[in-house]
Every structure is written in structure tokens, then in C-alpha cells.
Amino acid sequence: MSGADHETDVVVIGAGQAGLSAAYHLRRAGFANRSGFVVLDHGKRAGGAWQYRWPSLVLGKVHGIHDLPGMAFGTPDVTRPASEVVSEYFARFESVYDLPVLRPVDVQSVTREGERLIVSSPVESWAARAVISATGTWDRPFWPRYPGQETFAGRQLHTADYTGPEDFRGRRVVVVGGGSSAVQLLMEFAPLARATAWVTRRPPAWRDEPFSEDWGRNAVAKVDERVRAGLPPESVVSVTDLAVTPEVRAARAAGILDRRPMFDRITPDGVVWADGSRFDADVILWATGFRAAIDHLAPLHVREPGGGIRMDGTRVVLEPRLHLVGYGPSASTIGANRAGRAAVTEIRTLLRSER
Ligand code: FAD
């Protein structure tokens, strides 16, 4: 027996698409609530990170949300915020499948204690035979550093803090980042802003053809290769290129998406390029993506010298009782679904071999 407050076979950390998919497959495989598995989530309500997405991100603007296993998303109203609709869908899912989701439980560490992994929040701990970590990226917005950043007199925010276009009415805004969030937000607030500048490190990769399964598979394969090599994953979405929709075409024609190279430094009044040109700004919006939220795994020392966690499928090579789902190649709603199932299949085999 460990000194933990609770004993269970499997702890799932996180109740987003990835954690719920894993929970569904655990339930189907016959794991009982609480003694067999438990899902710990630090959100206030159902919805994973979707609940925090800005209200102007309506369902019609997202790439597409894949059904959770066993329950169709249906055809909800595309003009409603994704945050609301997805939260309702996830709540329904948790209730229909009677999933043991405990919230808010903030997992701060996973440690080893003999045959068990101990999952701890500030108030309770669980001893588990296997752990599925499905904590996404939302809690780790990435802010790059540039010279002079701390001197900027205006407002700096990350896309994770964006609440809607009114934030920028009458403002001069620099948007940093080459992903689809940068493009979407620019198109959304540029008509209200006084001026905008879009800067990216690399020229944006526009894709004229509609999204195809081949593109998706390619993107996932690139990220998979990185995590198998123990390198930090890039986001799947960041390697799928930017779709040229009719809306994007119009924004390009209007000059809203005229991209500039990365500036050289930040001053109190704006940003300056190496050639001396400048853009006076009230706001810098960092649309610079997210990193995996895996600080709670630090005590396990599973990071490789390359900075990432070496994976074989969803299994962590240095700790086979630990699976990461929604991480690297499975960081999309469809990838999260598959990863949840794959992790449970392996964990069943592992636990059977122990008995
Ligand atoms: P999340 O939804 O982030 O869930 C993680 C859960 O873990 C959260 O509930 C969080 O509260 C919890 N958690 C985190 N840390 C802890 C902790 N220490 N203790 C306890 N709980 C914790 N993908 C698509 O397929 N289609 C799209 O259209 C799409 N649009 C996107 C738009 C944006 C702006 C972003 C940022 C991402 C988008 N993605 C999209 C990616 C997609 O949202 C995720 O890859 C997918 O939802 C996977 O979810 P997840 O379960 O891994 O993570």
C-alpha cells in the first residue's frame, strides 16, 4: 500500500477531448469508476480548453471538431461560440457515459513510489498503476522574448488572453505569429483597429487546395517523427499551412495580411526593423502558440536531452506506465480520439501482464 489518499488502476489527468476519449475507452474496457479509473481536471466545468476560447471564435470559424467516440457532435448552430457548444457537448458526454471526472483538481506532480505512480494535487493524492496525461497546451501560452520587450509602454497580450475585436478598437496593433490564430484574429479586428502590422519569422505558407486527408496525415507524420526522436513537438496545426479561404483572399486583397519579417527590437512606442523602419503601436498581440502543459511530469525526469519526451505511440519510452494523449502528433480533436483508444489498449495489456 502507498501513502496516497486513494488507490486506483488508472488516473487520467485532463478532461479535454483526449482525456475524455481515454475515459470512454477505459469505461468500455470494464474499468470501474474510482477503483478502476478517475479523471482529474482543473477546469471549473466541462469543455477542456475549449471553454476558455474567445467568445468571437464561433463554431463556423474553427477547423472542425471531431466527434468524441460513441456520441455525435451533431450539427449545432455555427454562429454560437465554440466555447459554449463544446462545453455543453462534453458535459453531455461525461453524464451519458457516467465518467468519474473530479473538478476542480489541479494536478501538481506525478512521482514514482515503488510499483505505483502517485498523482498529487495540493489537497489529495492518488496511487495509480498507470497514468494517462491529457493536459493539452492551453495552460502554457508561449511568449518569445525580443530585445526591449519590457520597455514597451502599451499593452502586450497573448491569444490566450484575447476576448474579442472590441479590445482593439481605434488601436495600432502588431500581431506576431504565422499561424491560423494570427490570421483569423487580424481579419476579425483589423476593420476596427486604427492600424495593424503582421510580422512572422518565416513567410506564411499559404495552401490554395482545400484541406485533404493527405495533408493531415503528412502533418501528423512530421510531428510524430519529432517526438519519436525525443524533440519537443510542433503543433500539428502549425505544420498544416494556412488555408486560403474566400475570406482570406479578400483580406489579402485589402492589404490586411501583408506580412512583414520579424522586427529587430521593441521600443516604448512600437517596433523597429533592422533597416530603421518602424511601426508605432499601442498593442502587441503575441499569436505565438502554446507548448505542452506537462510541468506536473517534471519529477519523473522523462525529458530527453533534445528537450522533448521520447514517445513510442502514446507511451513514454522512459516511463512505460505513463501515456501522453493529445500530445505532439495527437494534438487535434481527431488525433486525441485515436490516442485515447491506443493508450487504453496498451495499458490493459500492461496491467494484465502484472496480475
Ligand atoms: P485540452 O482541451 O486543452 O484539455 C486539457 C484539459 O486538461 C483541460 O480541461 C485542462 O483544464 C486540464 N488540465 C491541464 N493541466 C492540468 C493539471 N495540471 N491538472 C488538472 N487538469 C489539467 N483542433 C481541431 O481538431 N480542430 C480545430 O478546429 C481546432 N481549433 C483550435 C483552435 C485554437 C485556438 C487552439 C488553441 C487549438 C485548436 N485545436 C483544434 C487543437 C485542439 O483544440 C486540441 O488539440 C484538442 O482539443 C485536444 O484536446 P486535449 O484534450 O488534448 O486538450
Side-chain angles (χ1 to χ4, degrees), residues 197-199 260-265 271-279:
W198 181 31
V199 299
R260 302 188 197 186
M262 205 56 221
F263 46 73
D264 195 44
R265 63 199 156 86
V271 296
V272 181
W273 281 265
D275 65 2
S277 61
R278 52 185 300 128
F279 180 86

Side-chain angles (χ1 to χ4, degrees), residues 4 8 16 20 38-39 44 59-60 62-63 71 73 132 149 157 194 208 210 225 239 250 328 334 349:
T8 187
L20 291 184
V38 68
V39 185
K44 286 201 189 74
L59 210 52
V62 305
H63 295 296
M71 186 192 279
F73 189 34
I132 298 178
Q149 193 166 8
L157 74 165
R194 188 167 135 206
D208 282 303
E225 208 174 291
V239 290
I334 187 165
T349 311

Side-chain angles (χ1 to χ4, degrees), residues 16 70 97 153 195 210 251 270 295 342:
Y97 290 107
D295 288 355

Side-chain angles (χ1 to χ4, degrees), residues 11 13 107-113 116-120 126 128 131 133 295-301 319 322:
V11 169
I13 310 170
V107 172
Q108 300 209 324
S109 66
V110 180
T111 51
R112 293 186 183 91
E113 197 179 299
R116 297 288 181 263
L117 292 173
I118 309 295
V119 179
S120 305
W126 287 259
V131 168
S133 188
D295 288 355
H296 54 287
L297 304 178
L300 297 175
H301 300 291
E319 177 47 86
L322 174 65

Side-chain angles (χ1 to χ4, degrees), residues 43-104:
K44 286 201 189 74
R45 58 175 178 144
W50 286 100
Q51 67 189 283
Y52 307 115
R53 307 239 155 103
W54 47 94
S56 56
L57 185 66
V58 294
L59 210 52
K61 285 191 185 174
V62 305
H63 295 296
I65 295 170
H66 204 271
D67 290 349
L68 282 163
M71 186 192 279
F73 189 34
T75 47
D77 178 355
V78 293
T79 64
R80 289 187 64 207
S83 56
E84 287 177 16
V85 184
V86 177
S87 292
E88 290 164 10
Y89 174 51
F90 282 16
R92 217 165 52 237
F93 185 85
E94 290 176 14
S95 145
V96 166
Y97 290 107
D98 184 27
L99 301 177
V101 183
L102 308 182
R103 57 167 72 85

